[in-house]
Amino acid sequence: MTSATPNQGLIRNHELPTPEPESPFRPRKPYRFGTLCATVDNPDQKDQYGSSSVPIYQTSTFKGVDGQYDYSRSGNPTRSHLEHHVAKISSAVHAFAVSSGMAALDVILRLLKPGDEVIAGDDLYGGTNRLLTYLKTHGGVVVHHVDTTNPANLHAHIKAGKTAMVLLESPTNPLLKIADLATIAAQVKERAPDALVVVDNTMMSPYLQRPLEYGADIVYDSATKYLSGHHDLMAGIITCNRDDVAKQIGFVINAVGNALTPFDCFLLLRGVKTLAIRMERQQASAMAVATVLDRLGFKVHYPGLANHPGREVHERNADGYGAVLSFTTGDKALSERIVGATRLWGISVSFGCVNSLISMPCVMSHASIDPAVRAERGLPEDLIRLCVGIEDPADLIDDLEHALLEAGAITVSAGADQHQFVRATVPRGGVAISRAVEKLAYNERPRKREDREWFVSAPGKVILFGEHAVVHGVTAVAASVDLRCYGLSSPRHDGKVALRFADLGNFSQEWVLDDLPWDSVTSVGVGDLHPEALDPRLVDAIQQRGLPPDIDQNQQAKAAAVAFLYLYMVMTHGGERPSFSFTVRSTLPVGAGLGSSASFSTCVATALLLLHQRISLPALPEPSREPDRGNDDPGHVHVSHAGRRALPHKIAEEVNRWAFVAEKILHGNPSGVDNSVAVFGGALAYTRPGFGRKSGMETIQGFKSFRFLLTDSRVPRDTKKLVAGVAAKKQAEPELVERTLEAIQSISNEARRALGDPELPRDALLSALAALINENHAHLVTLGVSHAVLETIRAQTAAEPYCLSTKLTGAGGGGCAVTLIPDDVKDNVLDTLKAALTDSGYRPYLTSVGGSGLGILSPYDPANYAPEAPLTPPENSPDELPSLRGAFQVQGTEELSAWAEQRGRWLYV
């Protein structure tokens, strides 16, 4: 198909400006699209020197008063030429050039206001989905995602006065679904006259499709793609015909300042001149590639194929089929091998370039969409997208066939010559991922092998006020305790990873890395955020295929192993899979409500971030030196903080984000308090977002150290069940629970003020805290989360001669009780109380609160990692440092903290 030949069925003459006829006897015909593209001419802005190329007005300001231009943010002659030219080829009255395609969409979405409703497709570019999700979460905009291939699917969501915008792609990216633009636009205008119909036309460009001709109000393109054609600039184009809409768009662009720069306008004008010839070559080659893949039996998404379900509608919309196609193989690992085996096709996001590109959307351009959402919308994990360039199609097909053959997707047909290929039968599952694919996909070089140990630790926590209520938006006040979890990684380089939980039944397990369920992994790029929801497919794959059969006998170890493997796998990047042993030990009682899981999650997250080289420790500070007046050197003083504040906030935040992911695996719906305390230490107030209060974490400055007695009741508790019970009570008795939550919020507010007040006398502070503890516990009883054993501990500690204040901490329902110990309590009295609690079958721990958070044993002194009795290094690794692992595993629990401190200088947040 070609849109340059008049006799093709899809061709329409373009009613666009052409020169006046030379004589009445031989009138000129309208220029064809290719001529319009190559001819840049604005009758209202003739160059004073007759330049054949639009000059670059590389200036920020213009002299004079009341001129057409004054400031390039508001207008620039080069940009005016570009916008006039794009409007001409887009059947538009108005055109605007901005800094990127997403900037164009951002400008358009700024026309919305809170309460507006948007209807969008269910197969969208990942960046579009991300921006809509942000608006839905933070802007009060309601977004409905529907399958736009059937106009009737939109009817239930089109509401006059409510629906403000309908956002369409056709063809969609990356499944090439087709929307009937004219029908949808007409139906929207009939049912909701004020709604704006917006079309992302990037996949087609104005050369093949002009949605304004079908009733769209606004059309935008990522001009980075086909309009530019060379991937040497970032740009976005917005076109429209309505003056009122154009006025609003122009205001937003001028206000936010994202108009395209003069130099990029010049580059884009140059690219548009060749749009027609590029698109013709690219879509002709795309048809050839799609035909080959279809003949081989792959499921191919391309509207030019006769079997495409939307072909008839597309031919009404467009003058051609475009140069993007996608296909599935039936196996994610197979798709990755295919992508990695290509040579001529560049592995990259984006499309529209003169060079051909190949990608896997679910791990690249669309990776920001939650895996569960991708599955719900039918976006296959094994999907491969091809963006065809202007190379010789024979070379493109040859390279693709070689990649398919190398990956095992096709084979040579028996009895045929070597050029006859057929689809191979590939068993699903059990196929190792090609590391080359990951390296190429993320454009990473091989990383230096990790030959060192990492020793990390994190504290437990005690929630002083606000437990349970924090899940419902009440501020919690929590502090770290000086009981800690420790994790040690030791390199092994044998293609295996081993895990040992000394405190969970001495659980030990070893995995061959290539046997893990990598076919279910969607990696998170370095620096990217993990999606809000866990990947249920990966969690299920680990539980079904990654764990030993007998692990069900140790549920705590099972949950911890799943969390460890999940983080290990999603953090993997660049094709590198570190091989090591990881041993975890703790001085915290496990399952007692003292944050043992969060301190474990923090240790795991820190070690894996280091091993995957996603974080790096800061260099040593400059040491002290004496002044040298001869060299005009005043000298330098290094103030030692004994390792405190050595880990920067950026590292702490990254660890905290990943620790929270692990907590989700362990607890389902954690508040975020426990892992925040484990990472940052000290004391903090935390408010969960989404409840109308100022959310986030706030450090309580000036927090004073206090003694607490933590009593492990040794009664197991089910955190998920207890949290769900409060939620059910809130639904059944909303007034009672809301009143209780407000009361707990008042307690938290009082505690924050008292703890942060440096002038409040200590005895007054202790007296206030004791009263608040009793008050808070009473409200937790109302919520139904206490337990008979906790009430018994409260009674014991409140009796003469102790008269102490005690409350449950954590989830309640068993677990641990926390008792404030005033300064005037004598040691012998405290020893008597501890003995009495022990005799009752409990485990008391005397501790202080508010200490350091995450710690990493400094790697800058090799002696830190040498045990008392150096182990003999393996013969095949003579350069290895002595291992801490042996000594770490044999330390008694009572001696573990002191032994760890004696290793050397620790670096803390």
Side-chain angles (χ1 to χ4, degrees), residues 648-658 679-680:
H649 202 73
K650 184 177 180 180
I651 288 178
E653 288 179 332
E654 182 74 357
V655 171
N656 198 34
R657 283 191 287 266
W658 284 103
V679 172
F680 293 97

Side-chain angles (χ1 to χ4, degrees), residues 93-94 96 240-249:
V93 176
H94 306 280
F96 303 88
C240 67
N241 286 329
R242 286 174 49 177
D243 294 342
D244 59 329
V245 173
K247 184 176 181 180
Q248 295 179 71
I249 291 173

Side-chain angles (χ1 to χ4, degrees), residues 605-638:
T606 305
L608 291 178
L609 286 166
L610 290 165
L611 289 162
H612 284 295
Q613 298 181 21
R614 300 173 73 103
I615 59 172
S616 55
L617 301 186
L620 286 171
E622 187 178 352
S624 297
R625 66 176 185 276
E626 295 295 326
D628 184 351
R629 291 195 171 91
N631 291 316
D632 293 328
D633 181 3
H636 174 70
V637 175
H638 166 61

